């Protein structure tokens, strides 16, 4: 069921005008309980410059995704790219952001380590889309004044 929902959610993501217009996209390589992005990353890496986060200490570094052969298991068992470090944050057009929960105001609840809280302020001009399953959309997520809101939450409508 997760695969089917993931396919529908990612179809909505790739149909979004901001994603279609983007040339440099920061995605994430999903964990088992997140919208499954593995095939999506590989598919779009042929058409756009795809970046993936790499956990380094308390921060996320960005690396260019070059293919499944250039991935290694990193922190938290997440597959991470071993390729070139990417620091030209101003050229990132679109960010797909995972989360534990989102609300309709664009607030995001992460896993509590603050990785995206530290990364997102460095990329202020990128369009930010929270990506989640329908059950992760809640009425209200606690938010602080410094939290960065998503521009849109992409999920599917439950029938």
């Amino acid at each position: 069921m997760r695969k089917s929902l993931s396919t529908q959610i990612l179809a909505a993501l790739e149909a979004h005008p901001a994603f279609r217009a983007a040339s440099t996209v920061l995605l994430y390589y999903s964990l088992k309980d997140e919208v499954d992005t593995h095939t999506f990353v590989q598919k779009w890496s042929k058409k756009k410059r795809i970046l993936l986060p790499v956990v380094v200490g308390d921060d996320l570094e960005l690396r260019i995704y070059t293919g499944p052969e250039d991935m290694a298991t990193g922190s938290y068992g997440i597959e991470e790219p071993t390729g070139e470090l990417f620091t030209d944050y101003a050229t990132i057009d679109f960010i797909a952001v995972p989360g534990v929960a989102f609300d309709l105001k664009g607030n995001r609840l992460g896993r509590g380590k603050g990785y995206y809280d530290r990364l997102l302020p460095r990329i202020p001009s990128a369009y930010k889309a929270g990506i989640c399953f329908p059950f992760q959309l809640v009425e209200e997520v606690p938010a602080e004044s410094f939290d960065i809101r998503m521009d849109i939450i992409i999920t599917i409508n439950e029938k």
Side-chain angles (χ1 to χ4, degrees), residues 3-13 154-157 159:
K3 280 268 194 219
S4 170
L5 286 173
S6 293
T7 300
Q8 293 173 64
I9 294 164
L10 294 172
L13 170 63
I154 296 179
T155 189
I156 56 163
N157 296 328
K159 305 232 183 312

Side-chain angles (χ1 to χ4, degrees), residues 25-111:
V25 177
L26 172 56
L27 295 175
Y28 65 92
Y29 214 67
S30 54
L31 293 168
K32 292 193 182 321
D33 61 346
E34 296 174 329
V35 173
D36 187 340
T37 60
H38 297 193
T39 305
F40 189 81
V41 166
Q42 195 166 353
K43 170 186 175 181
W44 283 101
S45 70
K46 295 170 180 66
K47 300 172 181 134
K48 299 178 182 287
R49 178 166 52 182
I50 299 298
L51 308 174
L52 294 176
V54 174
V55 175
V56 179
D58 288 336
D59 284 310
L60 293 178
E61 285 185 356
L62 304 183
R63 297 196 180 271
I64 298 171
Y65 175 82
T66 52
E69 65 282 354
D70 296 323
M71 299 287 278
T73 303
S75 301
Y76 308 104
I78 301 169
E79 290 293 304
E80 300 175 335
T82 58
E84 184 184 337
L85 181 64
F86 185 89
T87 57
D88 190 4
Y89 296 142
T91 64
I92 300 172
D93 304 306
F94 189 98
I95 307 172
V97 185
V100 173
F102 295 91
D103 66 25
L104 292 176
K105 294 185 203 116
N107 294 309
R108 171 186 170 273
L109 180 66
R111 293 181 181 268

